Amino acid sequence: MAHRVLGAAAPTILLAPDSFKGTFTAREVAEALAAGVRAAGARPDRCPVADGGEGTMDVLLAGWAAPSPTPTSTTRSAAP
């Protein structure tokens, strides 16, 4: 059951979690937190973050709505 003050608009809560190393991605943590915020009657604003380590590329690609890059390698002569 949501708790709200009569006549008040639901507040928006910013959620900016990092990943839980080796267990949950920043996006998964943000979604879990958002479920709790919605259950409390507020509106979640999810913004997963990364500190430059594990999960950074996932956060950047999600923010840009970009596909994951396909790594390629070349020889010293630049031939694929």
Side-chain angles (χ1 to χ4, degrees), residues 4-64:
R4 294 190 182 154
V5 177
L6 290 177
T12 299
I13 308 295
L14 176 62
L15 306 170
D18 196 351
S19 64
F20 284 33
K21 189 173 180 112
T23 57
F24 299 106
T25 66
R27 177 181 278 175
E28 291 169 331
V29 175
E31 290 300 327
L33 292 170
V37 168
R38 279 191 298 274
R43 293 175 300 182
D45 183 359
R46 295 171 306 281
C47 184
V49 298
D51 61 5
E54 180 180 310
T56 298
M57 184 61 74
D58 293 333
V59 168
L60 291 173
L61 292 175
W64 291 327

